[in-house]
Amino acid sequence: MSSKAIHEYDAKLLLAYWLARAPSVSNNAEVSPNFIYPSPNVAQIKWDVETNTITPDTTLPPWVFTSKLVAKPDQLIKRRGKSGLLLLNKEWSEAKDWIVQRAGKPTNVEGVVGTLNTFIVEPFLPHPSSTEYYVCINSAREGDNILFTHEGGIDVGDVDAKALQLSILVGKEFPSRDIIKSTLLTHVPTEKKDTLVDFLVRLYSVYVDLHFAYLEINPLICLDGVNGKPPTIHYLDMAAKLDQTAESICGPKWAIARDLSIYDKSAKPTSGAVSADRGPPMVFPSPWGRDLTKEEAYIQKLDGSTGASLKLTVLNPEGRIWTMVAGGGASVVYSDAIAAHGFADELANYGEYSGAPTEGQTYEYAKTIIDLICRGKPNPKGKTLIIGGGIANFTNVAATFKGIIRALKEYKNPLISHQVKIFVRRGGPNYQEGLKAMRLLGENLGVPIRVFGPETHITDIVPLALGVSKGSSGGLKTPAPYTSTPPTPVQSSKVEIQEAGVGEIQASGERAQPNDQIVHFDAQPTSGRPWYRPFDENTRSLVYGLQPRAIQGMLDFDYSCGRQTPSVAAMIYPFGGHHIQKFYWGTKETLLPVYTSVKEAVQKHPDADVVVNFASSRSVYSSTLDILSYSQIKAIALIAEGVPERHAREILHLSKAKNVLIIGPATVGGIKPGCFRIGNSGGMMDNIISSKLYRAGSVGYVSKSGGMSNELNNILSLVTNGTYEGIAIGGDRYPGTTFIDHLLRYEADPECKMLVLLGEVGGIEEYRVIEAVKKGIIKKPIVAWAIGTCAKMFTTEVQFGHAGSMANSDLETADAKNAAMKAAGFIVPDTFEDLPAVLKETYERLVATGKIVPKPEVDPPVIPMDYKWAQELGLIRKPAAFISTISDERGQELLYAGMRISDVFKEDIGIGGVVSLLWFKRRLPLWATKFIEMVLMLTADHGPAVSGAMNTIVTSRAGKDLISSLCSGLLTIGSRFGGALDEAASMFSNARDTGLTPREFVDESRKQNKLISGIGHKIKSVNNPDLRVELVKEYVQKNFPSHTLLDYALAVEKVTTAKKDTLILNVDGCIAVCFVDLLRDSGAFGRQEADEYIKIGTLNGLFVLGRSIGFIGHHLDQKRLHAPLYRHPADDIFINMLPVQQPRVAARIN
């Protein structure tokens, strides 16, 4: 949702800070220098549910204790005075008691029950009623409106009827002071007009700069000036809404106004947490009576942390009918259908998931809903869960179902005990696998699950789920459970490519060359199209943003339609250099250039007159203004969601002035079958083929919802000859074009014979179409329906899937729209479920009268399936190039040998435990992991003189980076330095395993002239032992369950030191034999497995890992010392060169 209400407290803080600081809305919006800016004092009192206390006195500003006060709830409650929720002219002690008596208590306000938990306190202002005024600024498609009346206060009455209004149109100059006076202030005393004009100018400047969507002050007080000073402004009650999508622009401005230290230096921060801006972020409270439950708050938090959309509103926790619906539009039609069958009081929730959430996100969403279903005592009638959705455009249905299936399995027993029945209906990419998985789950879960595909009308599962009768759905099949029988392959499912590979001999006898597989297209001369037909089979477009998947879908559609050239001419990506990207054209490939600017793309491709703009909500405004500066461009599709409403309005009015067609924002786009496809419209190729979008039909439709557009494509292909053109205008409040814009095009297009309008609750755009029908401007038969009829069933305000889906008046309700359309002569079904039957009846009537002449079907060309998608669908297989068994980052959480990273820290297994997981793929005992850590500490360094450290130091002093210096040191590790651990382990274990006594082992080694690895030290001796060895021996003898090889090595040491006292067991040998004891005697490894770890270099790995710590230390040490380049002294090098005269070649040359 974009337009969201805020606390009165926050609205007053925004004005307190920005009224004097906001940039002027216009150069001619001047303010008198003697204007006195109001400085309101406001305090917020909150009730803490955990402690059952209110905000402590110590945090309140000083004026609270010295002023007469006004206290009232601040929770979006209207007419608080009439509901007895207003306290006037009281001391703080009385106000505090009044608040305490009400805080945390359920309160009924005009039939809606909620809990009072937030209050606002401000000084009481005595004033005569003659000084009360009313002002309101609201936004509409055409611009902003300022409403003003000289009679404000609690009995203001019908403002719409009595208020004077000044409209400020988008792109027009801000009115002069004289116009403001003559338009709004005709009934205001002369001496107050200038002050009120000053205030209105500044108020509107703040309204624009802070992206308000609504701002009402009633009463606005204008007191007479005192002692020759001008009148002063005060505001009592205030209601405001902000455009939440503008948070990326205005977030810092909203936050700084909420920093209480600006107004009171002694104020303490509201939270110890560090926020992104100066001041806490803006808070958007729930509507009165809609206190967020813990589950709703969790889903809201989940929604805010993902690019997908996740919504949940619990309507009736005791309800029997629960929904889990994919898609904003689909979520509304399911609620409509449930309400239409008389089960509104049983509907437990409203919500939706869309935008391709991950498996993990879908799991969390599904788990939350299922947990709610399974609470409390089982209902004797059982419960029903409807897992519904439209035909997805790009969401992998099987992938999202994995998350739902996971959650269902987790709640198997509670679902059984609550007698839950599940009904599933879905379509879209990979839906067959998803539905198959759901059906198989039902066979094993013990919970009844009935599964349906897109051949069943989207809401036909509702009467089945509710156990009520349902009539025919027109040409659609009677609902029958989906089976796992593979669908008849459509022509787009071919995977194999028959083209000769590069280097192969072709029929001509020549070898295939790389360029033989690349198709090149020349620019086509542009031909004029009538205004009503912005897209045809020759349309060429530019795609703004790197969207290879969407572009490939557009090219596959082009190929299936039999187009001679691709519809995409080039891409624009400002953040990368110029380059070329390859795409498939049928079985061959074609190249598309990528430019960094719109200017270059337009110059290079004069035949492109459409732009599909995939820029994000933050950059779509600037990029679209750039695109609109080129007269070549005639149509732009804005895909991004979350575009600030003020930006969207500016774009739509500028485009109208330039005669450019805008589709969106917040849209999937649109499709002209047989001609042109915008982005992902129409879904995957299997849906394109099954819905017959590769050739033109006779029905033109316009909808807000992208998902419901696919449903219309599907329905029209089944009950008519298909879609002629379909546009999803987007669900925001201010789409670039509206229903009437496209329906007028269809009316003027002789090839379009029948019109379809799918509207929804909220807005008034349907009434523009009604007027056109009444005036005879639209004469073609028009089938229409407005979704959202369930809204009247809800006692509290519910925001549906789209930003514009909320009725602000009775006129904007779905019921009112459907009734008005029917009265105007539209063909309106009784319910959405009857839509297919009405469409079929209307189509057949047009065929019978000869207005539509069905054409024979034409088979589309074969479109090979992309390899990656075919692999995902399980149609092909390929051996993996690599195998990994130690870690996995693909899921919700990183795994080390199957152990979740959170558990690694929760169980505090340490670095030794991590080494045991990643090196040995198992948890080793604590004594073993501590030994690994001990080894790493002991081997970390052995001074700067050893070869590895010296190499590291020399490399570092040569100016190389850390990685180069570390590698230089590591490359010295081998049999002569550090790498003796493996050899020592092998020699000692082989000697003992073959039955040699320690003396025999020493004698045998001497006979073979072999040194015993791990025996001997240059400095240390029996009388000067190596303390590192002593530490290892002490730990092992104390903690290891067995240390037989260490005992054997110590016996060998007795034999060798008898010959020379420096032939002791050194640290390498000690670590080596102890690690063999760990591997063989820990119980975690078999004998063969333990020997394998010794052979593959595990022991040397310990030395490498440990010594890397020291090498890095030496590198950092040299960098800190700023050590210069090292040059070894010449007198330390003995140079012995042969005389030049001496021959280098001894062989005779004949």
Short mmCIF file of all heavy atoms in Angstrom, two decimals, residues 819-864:
data_model
loop_
_atom_site.label_atom_id
_atom_site.label_comp_id
_atom_site.label_asym_id
_atom_site.label_seq_id
_atom_site.Cartn_x
_atom_site.Cartn_y
_atom_site.Cartn_z
N ALA A 819 -23.11 -2.37 -9.99
CA ALA A 819 -24.49 -1.92 -10.20
C ALA A 819 -24.55 -0.81 -11.24
O ALA A 819 -25.43 -0.80 -12.12
CB ALA A 819 -25.08 -1.46 -8.87
N ALA A 820 -23.63 0.14 -11.16
CA ALA A 820 -23.62 1.26 -12.10
C ALA A 820 -23.31 0.78 -13.51
O ALA A 820 -23.90 1.27 -14.50
CB ALA A 820 -22.59 2.30 -11.65
N MET A 821 -22.40 -0.17 -13.64
CA MET A 821 -22.07 -0.69 -14.97
C MET A 821 -23.25 -1.44 -15.56
O MET A 821 -23.55 -1.31 -16.76
CB MET A 821 -20.82 -1.59 -14.89
CG MET A 821 -19.53 -0.81 -14.65
SD MET A 821 -18.00 -1.78 -14.78
CE MET A 821 -18.12 -2.85 -13.35
N LYS A 822 -23.92 -2.21 -14.74
CA LYS A 822 -25.08 -2.95 -15.23
C LYS A 822 -26.20 -2.00 -15.67
O LYS A 822 -26.83 -2.19 -16.71
CB LYS A 822 -25.59 -3.89 -14.13
CG LYS A 822 -26.56 -4.95 -14.61
CD LYS A 822 -26.73 -6.04 -13.56
CE LYS A 822 -27.49 -7.23 -14.13
NZ LYS A 822 -27.58 -8.34 -13.15
N ALA A 823 -26.39 -0.95 -14.89
CA ALA A 823 -27.43 0.03 -15.22
C ALA A 823 -27.11 0.78 -16.51
O ALA A 823 -28.01 1.21 -17.23
CB ALA A 823 -27.59 1.03 -14.07
N ALA A 824 -25.81 0.91 -16.82
CA ALA A 824 -25.41 1.64 -18.03
C ALA A 824 -25.44 0.77 -19.28
O ALA A 824 -25.21 1.28 -20.38
CB ALA A 824 -24.00 2.20 -17.83
N GLY A 825 -25.71 -0.53 -19.11
CA GLY A 825 -25.81 -1.40 -20.29
C GLY A 825 -24.63 -2.34 -20.46
O GLY A 825 -24.55 -3.05 -21.47
N PHE A 826 -23.72 -2.36 -19.52
CA PHE A 826 -22.65 -3.35 -19.57
C PHE A 826 -23.25 -4.74 -19.36
O PHE A 826 -24.32 -4.89 -18.76
CB PHE A 826 -21.63 -3.11 -18.44
CG PHE A 826 -20.81 -1.86 -18.58
CD1 PHE A 826 -21.39 -0.61 -18.66
CD2 PHE A 826 -19.42 -1.94 -18.61
CE1 PHE A 826 -20.63 0.54 -18.76
CE2 PHE A 826 -18.64 -0.79 -18.70
CZ PHE A 826 -19.25 0.45 -18.78
N ILE A 827 -22.51 -5.75 -19.81
CA ILE A 827 -22.90 -7.13 -19.53
C ILE A 827 -22.15 -7.54 -18.27
O ILE A 827 -20.94 -7.76 -18.29
CB ILE A 827 -22.55 -8.06 -20.70
CG1 ILE A 827 -23.20 -7.54 -21.99
CG2 ILE A 827 -22.98 -9.50 -20.41
CD1 ILE A 827 -22.65 -8.17 -23.24
N VAL A 828 -22.87 -7.60 -17.16
CA VAL A 828 -22.25 -7.83 -15.84
C VAL A 828 -22.76 -9.14 -15.28
O VAL A 828 -23.98 -9.31 -15.11
CB VAL A 828 -22.57 -6.67 -14.87
CG1 VAL A 828 -21.92 -6.91 -13.52
CG2 VAL A 828 -22.11 -5.34 -15.46
N PRO A 829 -21.89 -10.10 -14.99
CA PRO A 829 -22.35 -11.36 -14.38
C PRO A 829 -22.80 -11.13 -12.95
O PRO A 829 -22.53 -10.09 -12.34
CB PRO A 829 -21.10 -12.24 -14.45
CG PRO A 829 -19.95 -11.29 -14.45
CD PRO A 829 -20.43 -10.06 -15.18
N ASP A 830 -23.49 -12.14 -12.39
CA ASP A 830 -23.93 -12.03 -11.01
C ASP A 830 -22.76 -12.15 -10.04
O ASP A 830 -22.73 -11.51 -9.00
CB ASP A 830 -24.98 -13.10 -10.70
CG ASP A 830 -26.28 -12.86 -11.47
OD1 ASP A 830 -26.57 -11.69 -11.79
OD2 ASP A 830 -26.97 -13.84 -11.77
N THR A 831 -21.81 -12.99 -10.38
CA THR A 831 -20.59 -13.16 -9.59
C THR A 831 -19.41 -13.36 -10.54
O THR A 831 -19.60 -13.61 -11.73
CB THR A 831 -20.67 -14.38 -8.64
OG1 THR A 831 -20.66 -15.58 -9.44
CG2 THR A 831 -21.92 -14.34 -7.77
N PHE A 832 -18.22 -13.29 -10.01
CA PHE A 832 -17.03 -13.51 -10.83
C PHE A 832 -17.01 -14.94 -11.38
O PHE A 832 -16.51 -15.17 -12.47
CB PHE A 832 -15.77 -13.26 -10.00
CG PHE A 832 -14.50 -13.46 -10.77
CD1 PHE A 832 -14.03 -12.50 -11.66
CD2 PHE A 832 -13.76 -14.63 -10.63
CE1 PHE A 832 -12.86 -12.70 -12.38
CE2 PHE A 832 -12.59 -14.84 -11.34
CZ PHE A 832 -12.14 -13.87 -12.21
N GLU A 833 -17.57 -15.87 -10.62
CA GLU A 833 -17.59 -17.27 -11.08
C GLU A 833 -18.42 -17.43 -12.35
O GLU A 833 -18.22 -18.38 -13.11
CB GLU A 833 -18.15 -18.17 -9.97
CG GLU A 833 -17.22 -18.25 -8.76
CD GLU A 833 -17.93 -18.85 -7.56
OE1 GLU A 833 -18.11 -20.07 -7.54
OE2 GLU A 833 -18.31 -18.09 -6.66
N ASP A 834 -19.36 -16.52 -12.57
CA ASP A 834 -20.21 -16.60 -13.77
C ASP A 834 -19.58 -15.92 -14.98
O ASP A 834 -20.17 -15.91 -16.06
CB ASP A 834 -21.57 -15.95 -13.48
CG ASP A 834 -22.32 -16.66 -12.37
OD1 ASP A 834 -22.24 -17.89 -12.32
OD2 ASP A 834 -22.95 -15.97 -11.54
N LEU A 835 -18.40 -15.32 -14.80
CA LEU A 835 -17.78 -14.57 -15.89
C LEU A 835 -17.54 -15.42 -17.14
O LEU A 835 -17.85 -14.98 -18.26
CB LEU A 835 -16.47 -13.95 -15.41
CG LEU A 835 -15.72 -13.07 -16.41
CD1 LEU A 835 -16.56 -11.85 -16.81
CD2 LEU A 835 -14.38 -12.61 -15.84
N PRO A 836 -17.01 -16.65 -17.04
CA PRO A 836 -16.80 -17.44 -18.26
C PRO A 836 -18.09 -17.69 -19.04
O PRO A 836 -18.09 -17.60 -20.28
CB PRO A 836 -16.20 -18.75 -17.73
CG PRO A 836 -15.57 -18.39 -16.44
CD PRO A 836 -16.46 -17.34 -15.85
N ALA A 837 -19.17 -17.98 -18.32
CA ALA A 837 -20.43 -18.26 -19.01
C ALA A 837 -20.93 -17.02 -19.75
O ALA A 837 -21.42 -17.10 -20.89
CB ALA A 837 -21.47 -18.73 -18.00
N VAL A 838 -20.81 -15.86 -19.13
CA VAL A 838 -21.25 -14.61 -19.76
C VAL A 838 -20.39 -14.29 -20.97
O VAL A 838 -20.89 -13.85 -22.02
CB VAL A 838 -21.22 -13.47 -18.72
CG1 VAL A 838 -21.44 -12.13 -19.40
CG2 VAL A 838 -22.27 -13.69 -17.65
N LEU A 839 -19.10 -14.51 -20.87
CA LEU A 839 -18.20 -14.28 -22.00
C LEU A 839 -18.54 -15.19 -23.16
O LEU A 839 -18.59 -14.76 -24.32
CB LEU A 839 -16.75 -14.49 -21.56
CG LEU A 839 -16.13 -13.43 -20.65
CD1 LEU A 839 -14.80 -13.91 -20.09
CD2 LEU A 839 -15.93 -12.12 -21.41
N LYS A 840 -18.79 -16.45 -22.85
CA LYS A 840 -19.13 -17.41 -23.90
C LYS A 840 -20.43 -17.04 -24.60
O LYS A 840 -20.53 -17.05 -25.84
CB LYS A 840 -19.24 -18.81 -23.30
CG LYS A 840 -19.53 -19.90 -24.33
CD LYS A 840 -19.62 -21.26 -23.67
CE LYS A 840 -19.89 -22.34 -24.73
NZ LYS A 840 -20.05 -23.67 -24.12
N GLU A 841 -21.41 -16.66 -23.81
CA GLU A 841 -22.72 -16.29 -24.36
C GLU A 841 -22.60 -15.06 -25.27
O GLU A 841 -23.15 -15.01 -26.37
CB GLU A 841 -23.69 -16.03 -23.22
CG GLU A 841 -25.08 -15.62 -23.66
CD GLU A 841 -25.96 -15.27 -22.46
OE1 GLU A 841 -25.66 -15.73 -21.34
OE2 GLU A 841 -26.93 -14.52 -22.65
N THR A 842 -21.84 -14.07 -24.82
CA THR A 842 -21.67 -12.85 -25.61
C THR A 842 -20.91 -13.14 -26.90
O THR A 842 -21.27 -12.64 -27.98
CB THR A 842 -20.91 -11.79 -24.78
OG1 THR A 842 -21.60 -11.59 -23.54
CG2 THR A 842 -20.81 -10.48 -25.53
N TYR A 843 -19.88 -13.95 -26.81
CA TYR A 843 -19.09 -14.30 -27.99
C TYR A 843 -19.93 -15.06 -29.00
O TYR A 843 -19.92 -14.75 -30.22
CB TYR A 843 -17.88 -15.13 -27.56
CG TYR A 843 -17.12 -15.73 -28.72
CD1 TYR A 843 -16.28 -14.96 -29.51
CD2 TYR A 843 -17.25 -17.09 -29.02
CE1 TYR A 843 -15.59 -15.51 -30.58
CE2 TYR A 843 -16.56 -17.65 -30.09
CZ TYR A 843 -15.73 -16.85 -30.86
OH TYR A 843 -15.06 -17.40 -31.92
N GLU A 844 -20.66 -16.03 -28.53
CA GLU A 844 -21.47 -16.84 -29.45
C GLU A 844 -22.53 -16.00 -30.14
O GLU A 844 -22.88 -16.24 -31.30
CB GLU A 844 -22.10 -18.01 -28.69
CG GLU A 844 -21.07 -19.07 -28.28
CD GLU A 844 -21.67 -20.20 -27.45
OE1 GLU A 844 -22.83 -20.04 -26.99
OE2 GLU A 844 -20.99 -21.22 -27.26
N ARG A 845 -23.05 -14.99 -29.44
CA ARG A 845 -24.03 -14.11 -30.04
C ARG A 845 -23.39 -13.29 -31.18
O ARG A 845 -23.99 -13.08 -32.24
CB ARG A 845 -24.62 -13.18 -28.97
CG ARG A 845 -25.78 -12.34 -29.48
CD ARG A 845 -26.57 -11.69 -28.35
NE ARG A 845 -25.77 -10.78 -27.56
CZ ARG A 845 -25.40 -11.01 -26.31
NH1 ARG A 845 -25.78 -12.13 -25.70
NH2 ARG A 845 -24.66 -10.13 -25.65
N LEU A 846 -22.15 -12.85 -30.97
CA LEU A 846 -21.45 -12.09 -32.01
C LEU A 846 -21.11 -12.97 -33.20
O LEU A 846 -21.12 -12.52 -34.35
CB LEU A 846 -20.17 -11.47 -31.43
CG LEU A 846 -20.38 -10.35 -30.40
CD1 LEU A 846 -19.06 -9.95 -29.77
CD2 LEU A 846 -21.04 -9.14 -31.04
N VAL A 847 -20.80 -14.24 -32.93
CA VAL A 847 -20.53 -15.17 -34.02
C VAL A 847 -21.82 -15.42 -34.81
O VAL A 847 -21.82 -15.44 -36.06
CB VAL A 847 -19.95 -16.50 -33.48
CG1 VAL A 847 -19.87 -17.55 -34.59
CG2 VAL A 847 -18.57 -16.27 -32.86
N ALA A 848 -22.92 -15.59 -34.08
CA ALA A 848 -24.20 -15.88 -34.73
C ALA A 848 -24.66 -14.72 -35.62
O ALA A 848 -25.27 -14.94 -36.68
CB ALA A 848 -25.26 -16.18 -33.68
N THR A 849 -24.32 -13.49 -35.22
CA THR A 849 -24.73 -12.34 -36.02
C THR A 849 -23.70 -11.98 -37.10
O THR A 849 -23.88 -11.01 -37.83
CB THR A 849 -24.93 -11.12 -35.11
OG1 THR A 849 -23.72 -10.85 -34.40
CG2 THR A 849 -26.07 -11.37 -34.13
N GLY A 850 -22.64 -12.74 -37.18
CA GLY A 850 -21.63 -12.52 -38.21
C GLY A 850 -20.62 -11.43 -37.90
O GLY A 850 -19.76 -11.13 -38.74
N LYS A 851 -20.68 -10.87 -36.72
CA LYS A 851 -19.71 -9.82 -36.38
C LYS A 851 -18.32 -10.40 -36.09
O LYS A 851 -17.31 -9.71 -36.21
CB LYS A 851 -20.21 -9.02 -35.19
CG LYS A 851 -21.44 -8.18 -35.53
CD LYS A 851 -21.88 -7.33 -34.35
CE LYS A 851 -23.08 -6.47 -34.73
NZ LYS A 851 -23.55 -5.63 -33.59
N ILE A 852 -18.30 -11.65 -35.67
CA ILE A 852 -17.04 -12.37 -35.50
C ILE A 852 -17.07 -13.59 -36.39
O ILE A 852 -18.02 -14.39 -36.33
CB ILE A 852 -16.81 -12.79 -34.03
CG1 ILE A 852 -16.62 -11.57 -33.13
CG2 ILE A 852 -15.58 -13.71 -33.92
CD1 ILE A 852 -16.41 -11.91 -31.66
N VAL A 853 -16.04 -13.72 -37.21
CA VAL A 853 -15.93 -14.89 -38.08
C VAL A 853 -14.71 -15.69 -37.62
O VAL A 853 -13.57 -15.27 -37.82
CB VAL A 853 -15.76 -14.47 -39.55
CG1 VAL A 853 -15.62 -15.72 -40.43
CG2 VAL A 853 -16.92 -13.60 -40.00
N PRO A 854 -14.93 -16.83 -36.94
CA PRO A 854 -13.81 -17.62 -36.45
C PRO A 854 -12.90 -18.07 -37.60
O PRO A 854 -13.38 -18.40 -38.69
CB PRO A 854 -14.48 -18.82 -35.77
CG PRO A 854 -15.87 -18.35 -35.45
CD PRO A 854 -16.23 -17.41 -36.57
N LYS A 855 -11.62 -18.07 -37.34
CA LYS A 855 -10.64 -18.50 -38.33
C LYS A 855 -10.08 -19.86 -37.95
O LYS A 855 -10.04 -20.22 -36.77
CB LYS A 855 -9.51 -17.48 -38.42
CG LYS A 855 -9.96 -16.10 -38.86
CD LYS A 855 -8.79 -15.13 -38.88
CE LYS A 855 -9.24 -13.73 -39.28
NZ LYS A 855 -8.11 -12.76 -39.25
N PRO A 856 -9.62 -20.62 -38.93
CA PRO A 856 -9.03 -21.92 -38.60
C PRO A 856 -7.74 -21.73 -37.79
O PRO A 856 -7.01 -20.76 -37.97
CB PRO A 856 -8.74 -22.54 -39.98
CG PRO A 856 -8.72 -21.39 -40.93
CD PRO A 856 -9.67 -20.38 -40.38
N GLU A 857 -7.49 -22.68 -36.90
CA GLU A 857 -6.30 -22.59 -36.05
C GLU A 857 -5.02 -22.78 -36.88
O GLU A 857 -5.01 -23.54 -37.84
CB GLU A 857 -6.35 -23.64 -34.94
CG GLU A 857 -7.34 -23.34 -33.83
CD GLU A 857 -6.96 -22.09 -33.05
OE1 GLU A 857 -5.77 -21.73 -33.04
OE2 GLU A 857 -7.86 -21.48 -32.45
N VAL A 858 -4.01 -22.09 -36.48
CA VAL A 858 -2.70 -22.19 -37.12
C VAL A 858 -1.70 -22.68 -36.08
O VAL A 858 -1.61 -22.12 -34.98
CB VAL A 858 -2.24 -20.83 -37.69
CG1 VAL A 858 -0.86 -20.94 -38.30
CG2 VAL A 858 -3.25 -20.32 -38.70
N ASP A 859 -0.97 -23.74 -36.39
CA ASP A 859 0.01 -24.25 -35.44
C ASP A 859 1.21 -23.33 -35.39
O ASP A 859 1.75 -22.93 -36.43
CB ASP A 859 0.47 -25.65 -35.85
CG ASP A 859 -0.65 -26.68 -35.71
OD1 ASP A 859 -1.52 -26.46 -34.85
OD2 ASP A 859 -0.65 -27.67 -36.45
N PRO A 860 1.65 -22.99 -34.19
CA PRO A 860 2.83 -22.13 -34.07
C PRO A 860 4.11 -22.92 -34.36
O PRO A 860 4.12 -24.15 -34.25
CB PRO A 860 2.79 -21.69 -32.60
CG PRO A 860 2.12 -22.84 -31.91
CD PRO A 860 1.11 -23.39 -32.88
N PRO A 861 5.18 -22.24 -34.72
CA PRO A 861 6.44 -22.95 -34.91
C PRO A 861 6.97 -23.50 -33.60
O PRO A 861 6.58 -23.06 -32.52
CB PRO A 861 7.38 -21.87 -35.47
CG PRO A 861 6.77 -20.57 -35.10
CD PRO A 861 5.30 -20.81 -35.00
N VAL A 862 7.84 -24.48 -33.71
CA VAL A 862 8.41 -25.12 -32.53
C VAL A 862 9.37 -24.17 -31.84
O VAL A 862 10.21 -23.54 -32.47
CB VAL A 862 9.15 -26.42 -32.93
CG1 VAL A 862 9.88 -27.00 -31.72
CG2 VAL A 862 8.16 -27.42 -33.49
N ILE A 863 9.22 -24.05 -30.52
CA ILE A 863 10.13 -23.24 -29.71
C ILE A 863 10.89 -24.18 -28.78
O ILE A 863 10.30 -24.75 -27.86
CB ILE A 863 9.39 -22.19 -28.86
CG1 ILE A 863 8.53 -21.30 -29.75
CG2 ILE A 863 10.37 -21.36 -28.04
CD1 ILE A 863 9.32 -20.39 -30.65
N PRO A 864 12.18 -24.38 -29.00
CA PRO A 864 12.92 -25.25 -28.08
C PRO A 864 12.91 -24.66 -26.67
O PRO A 864 12.95 -23.45 -26.48
CB PRO A 864 14.34 -25.25 -28.66
CG PRO A 864 14.18 -24.80 -30.07
CD PRO A 864 13.02 -23.87 -30.08
#
